[in-house]
Amino acid sequence: MTKASLQATERDESGYRSRQVWQLAIICGTQFLVALDYSIINVAAPSIREGMGLTSGGDAAWILSAYALAFSGFLLLGGRVADLFGRKRVFLWSLVGLGLASLLAGLAWSPASLIAGRALQGIAAAFIAPAGLGLLQAAIPEGPRRERALGIYGSALSAGFVSGMVLGGVLTQYLGWRSTLLINIPIVLLACVPAKALLDESRDTRSSRNLDVTGAALGTIGMVALVFALTEGQKHGWLSAPILLSAGIAVASGALFVRAERRKRDALVPVSIFRTGAIGAANLLNVVLICSYGGMLFILTLYLQEHLDMGALATGLTFAVSGAIAIVTGIYAGKLVERFGLYRVLLSGIAIETVGILVMVGLPEGHGLTLVLVGTAVNAFGHILALITTSIAGTNGVDEGRRATAGALINVSQQLGLAVGVGVVTSVAAYFTAASGGAGDPGAVLTGWRWSLWFSVAFAVGAIIITVLFRKRFEKEQAA
């Protein structure tokens, strides 16, 4: 090989690496936006109720939950559509859809239009998230570079969620609640141009473009019904008609979904994907991990705001400390996996996460802020390690035609874990509060929260058990 050809090869390699960096930046930037939209509206909720003149608690609740319900319900469909029709194409059009939905929500003239805008935001995000993760897998082959990329990806999600809690308070205070929705539009416009120029198209070239409509309908209906039942059960009553109906629909849809997917060649989610590598184990673990983390976060938010009388912005800033730790840890998580192996980092992360919750189970009546800061910092360090390693295990070995589907499954397992975790801790808190003197007694409420955190610990211990049981699968991933 001549000197000139060597120089050309170096330039090609350098250009390829540079392109990967830009692709990763675009993908992570949009995932930051998806996570931001998930949390930003919570801080603005009181201003929205006042600005819209809402007197119905139901309307206010739907404004908050419309995004989450739509996001969780359409993830599986979004992943398969991206695989079949082109991940870049779906990614770009979904970004445009997110911008238009944000415009509708930001200019909403009634509660119904605001709820519709938030639901459309969730649907758009449900296509962006799996398409983005599929693009990342297509752009960066399996190995150390992808592991580091997934670490940065996890950091972007953490940054987006925490930024939403902080930015929502700042924007609401100085520019009004509508700005928390309209902020998406300039970000989307800035992202679309480089995304169109730099992202490479990829899709499933071996399957026909016949979408599994039956599976898509059953999966969407089942997920929406299940998430609704789990998140709203405590409010409406677990034996109330809406919750029982939703649970029944979820069970029936789930059973029909599994039956249909087993029989179809081009299924929305082939059962075989869960037997590929550690994908099944990783998604199961993901559910339990988020049960623990989501439940803990929910209880600590109540503790800070209702017991320590902290405002929404101050609460967001409190969690920003642990968020910053998660961001930094995520950036280096891939290197830790490369050095110590996936299984060891995963198990260590869950153990550290468990210790962080244990620090906080005895929530004090006063001066608990320091305890929360220390506990969430320790927890965040371990949680992001566990989250990134499960993402690595949940995408390694997947068929190239199912990359976005694998990304959708990771997101679905997280949404399911969040719904279960919040549903469990709210029920536990209500039960022990009532048993200790009722909601009118601050000490009884505190007792209920403490018991809820013990259940978060139990979920974390369950995650450790699952990790050990599936040790061989996770070790195969690190060997591969």
Side-chain angles (χ1 to χ4, degrees):
M1 184 177 288
T2 65
K3 182 177 181 180
S5 62
L6 279 170
Q7 290 174 342
T9 301
E10 290 171 358
R11 286 197 298 271
D12 290 341
E13 289 178 351
S14 177
Y16 177 67
R17 286 196 297 270
S18 175
R19 188 178 182 87
Q20 280 184 325
V21 169
W22 281 106
Q23 289 172 334
L24 181 60
I26 294 165
I27 293 167
C28 289
T30 54
Q31 303 312 305
F32 173 93
L33 186 60
V34 168
L36 180 89
D37 283 343
Y38 206 100
S39 61
I40 195 169
I41 202 73
N42 294 328
V43 181
S47 297
I48 292 174
R49 284 195 292 266
E50 182 180 348
M52 285 296 222
L54 296 178
T55 56
S56 168
D59 285 341
W62 274 108
I63 290 169
L64 294 177
S65 61
Y67 182 94
L69 285 172
F71 180 64
S72 58
F74 283 85
L75 275 166
L76 292 178
L77 176 60
R80 189 54 182 152
V81 168
D83 279 334
L84 285 179
F85 298 98
R87 297 165 190 130
K88 177 180 177 179
R89 178 184 298 174
V90 170
F91 186 82
L92 286 171
W93 280 110
S94 300
L95 269 178
V96 173
L98 180 62
L100 293 174
S102 300
L103 181 64
L104 171 61
L107 301 178
W109 57 91
S110 67
S113 60
L114 179 53
I115 292 169
R118 284 291 289 167
L120 290 171
Q121 279 186 318
I123 293 172
F127 283 76
I128 292 170
L133 199 46
L135 285 167
L136 186 152
Q137 295 172 70
I140 305 174
E142 287 185 23
R145 281 194 296 177
R146 184 190 286 182
E147 290 167 359
R148 291 195 292 270
L150 286 170
I152 296 169
Y153 179 91
S155 294
L157 289 175
S158 296
F161 188 82
V162 172
S163 296
M165 300 175 73
V166 178
L167 188 60
V170 174
L171 289 175
T172 301
Q173 183 172 340
Y174 293 104
L175 297 176
W177 65 267
R178 293 182 185 273
S179 63
T180 63
L181 299 160
L182 296 173
I183 188 66
N184 286 351
I185 297 173
I187 299 175
V188 166
L189 290 174
L190 287 172
C192 279
V193 175
K196 183 172 174 46
L198 295 170
L199 293 178
D200 297 320
E201 185 59 281
S202 64
R203 70 176 186 88
D204 184 354
T205 57
R206 290 174 295 178
S207 299
S208 66
R209 293 195 180 185
N210 295 325
L211 184 65
D212 177 13
V213 178
T214 302
L218 289 172
T220 299
I221 293 170
M223 274 300 298
V224 171
L226 179 59
V227 172
F228 176 81
L230 290 170
T231 55
E232 301 293 319
Q234 182 59 37
K235 185 198 311 182
H236 294 281
W238 290 106
L239 298 179
S240 65
I243 300 304
L244 289 177
L245 178 61
S246 295
I249 292 173
V251 171
S253 298
L256 291 172
F257 177 80
V258 172
R259 182 181 180 185
E261 298 305 277
R262 282 180 173 175
R263 297 181 175 183
K264 292 199 173 185
R265 180 180 177 183
D266 293 325
L268 187 76
V269 182
V271 177
S272 60
I273 197 172
F274 294 103
R275 297 192 292 268
T276 302
I279 290 177
N283 279 282
L284 173 62
L285 183 57
N286 223 358
V287 172
V288 182
L289 280 171
I290 302 299
C291 279
S292 174
Y293 182 75
M296 176 205 72
L297 202 63
F298 183 81
I299 293 300
L300 292 180
T301 301
L302 294 177
Y303 175 72
L304 293 173
Q305 293 188 350
E306 296 183 9
H307 193 79
L308 298 186
D309 294 322
M310 294 176 63
L313 180 56
T315 301
L317 289 171
T318 300
F319 289 128
V321 175
S322 59
I325 291 172
I327 292 166
V328 174
T329 304
I331 293 171
Y332 293 99
K335 292 183 179 180
L336 291 175
V337 172
E338 186 179 351
R339 180 173 180 180
F340 298 105
L342 187 144
Y343 175 75
R344 289 181 180 178
V345 175
L346 174 59
L347 189 60
S348 300
I350 302 173
I352 294 169
E353 179 177 359
T354 307
V355 171
I357 308 174
L358 282 170
V359 169
M360 299 179 287
V361 290
L363 290 174
E365 292 188 11
H367 308 291
L369 180 58
T370 302
L371 189 73
V372 171
L373 286 170
V374 173
T376 53
V378 174
N379 178 271
F381 178 76
H383 180 71
I384 195 66
L385 289 176
L387 205 62
I388 289 168
T389 46
T390 53
S391 295
I392 293 170
T395 54
N396 276 356
V398 70
D399 183 270
E400 64 180 18
R402 289 285 180 173
R403 283 168 173 161
T405 301
L409 287 173
I410 290 173
N411 281 278
V412 165
S413 62
Q414 290 173 353
Q415 293 304 308
L416 184 57
L418 184 61
V420 173
V422 171
V424 168
V425 297
T426 53
S427 297
V428 169
Y431 174 81
F432 283 100
T433 297
S436 303
D441 180 1
V445 173
L446 199 57
T447 298
W449 291 340
R450 289 166 179 160
W451 275 104
S452 293
L453 288 180
W454 276 112
F455 271 74
S456 287
V457 171
F459 280 126
V461 172
I464 292 174
I465 294 171
I466 292 170
T467 304
V468 173
L469 289 175
F470 289 98
R471 174 176 181 170
K472 289 184 178 179
R473 294 206 175 197
F474 290 122
E475 286 182 334
K476 282 182 182 178
E477 286 305 308
Q478 70 189 47

